[in-house]
Amino acid sequence: MDAKLSALQHLLEVVAQLRSPTGGCPWDLAQTPETLIPYIIEEAYEVVDAIRSQDSKAIAEELGDLLLQVVLQAQIASDSNQFTITEVAQEISQKLIRRHPHVFADVEVESLKEIHENWEQIKAAEKGEYSLNDKLHRYARTLPPIMATTKIIAKTQISSAYAAKDLESGWQQFQESLINNHDLDQQQSELGDLLFDLIALAHKHNLDAFAALQSANHRFIENLDQL
């Protein structure tokens, strides 16, 4: 067997043993797709951090941790006869072929922009997204909030002036909700509107809200002893 396939097969066998009712790991056996959600998110971000560090060893290690989450989810699904890792691999292969007609079919393209547009059109058709609203709801449902907001703003082309005006109004409404001791849902709603408007304003000035907040986290930690 090819070394790559052998290594993947070994991983599948290790995870299957961890999930085995006979001699498996109690922690792994107790997991469900839902309980593993935080680990999927955490591992994905750790991959990003490793890539930014340009440390090859760290990248390989973190990719392995992320791959484990994929294999573990597939094993849990297989345990309940939903699907297997084979179907996972087949589905992504078929999707890549469908979305690259300029490689696997006779479609001709002249630019990277055209490749991207074709991809988006094929993806929208596959997901049944027939309007901008459909796409925006998918962003809100599936992406981390800051990323979702940034994409929503980019697709709806909110003006900088509108974002600035809304931010001013949003800040006042949020303060009022706290001062007047509104219920938690109302305060959460006002906070959400305020954060949305702040990210919208940042996007219009070509500022990366994700990177800005990440930098602020590091600065806070570095200055913690001075607080």
Side-chain angles (χ1 to χ4, degrees), residues 153-221:
I153 295 303
K155 290 291 183 182
T156 52
Q157 298 295 315
I158 292 178
S159 72
S160 179
Y162 177 86
K165 181 180 177 182
D166 242 35
L167 179 61
E168 222 174 292
S169 171
W171 173 242
Q172 291 176 353
Q173 291 173 9
F174 177 58
Q175 284 184 305
E176 287 172 10
S177 74
L178 296 178
I179 292 169
N180 297 326
N181 199 27
H182 291 163
D183 63 66
L184 182 61
D185 286 345
Q186 180 65 27
Q187 292 174 346
Q188 287 272 100
S189 177
E190 298 298 349
L191 176 59
D193 290 344
L194 178 62
L195 292 172
F196 184 96
D197 297 333
L198 186 60
I199 294 169
L201 185 61
H203 178 76
K204 285 301 172 183
H205 289 278
N206 297 315
L207 297 171
D208 185 335
F210 181 94
L213 185 56
Q214 194 171 48
S215 295
N217 288 339
H218 286 300
R219 286 196 302 275
F220 176 84
I221 294 167

Side-chain angles (χ1 to χ4, degrees), residues 102-113:
H102 55 287
V103 176
F104 299 102
D106 55 2
V107 172
E108 294 185 7
V109 293
E110 297 181 356
S111 66
L112 291 176
K113 180 182 178 183

Side-chain angles (χ1 to χ4, degrees), residues 7-88:
L8 289 171
Q9 181 61 39
H10 184 56
L11 173 60
L12 296 176
E13 291 169 357
V14 168
V15 172
Q17 179 60 42
L18 290 172
R19 286 280 303 175
S20 173
T22 306
C25 171
W27 185 90
D28 289 277
L29 282 165
Q31 300 313 302
T32 68
E34 291 75 20
T35 63
L36 290 171
I37 288 173
Y39 300 100
I40 296 172
I41 296 170
E42 181 180 328
E43 298 301 351
Y45 277 110
E46 289 185 355
V47 169
V48 172
D49 181 63
I51 291 171
R52 285 177 174 156
S53 75
Q54 298 185 339
D55 182 335
S56 297
K57 185 178 179 181
I59 295 170
E61 179 183 350
E62 297 302 342
L63 283 172
D65 290 343
L66 185 58
L67 178 59
L68 168 61
Q69 293 304 314
V70 175
V71 173
L72 192 49
Q73 286 282 344
Q75 183 62 48
I76 292 172
S78 178
D79 291 342
S80 56
N81 298 315
Q82 297 179 53
F83 59 82
T84 69
I85 193 69
T86 301
E87 288 145 293
V88 173

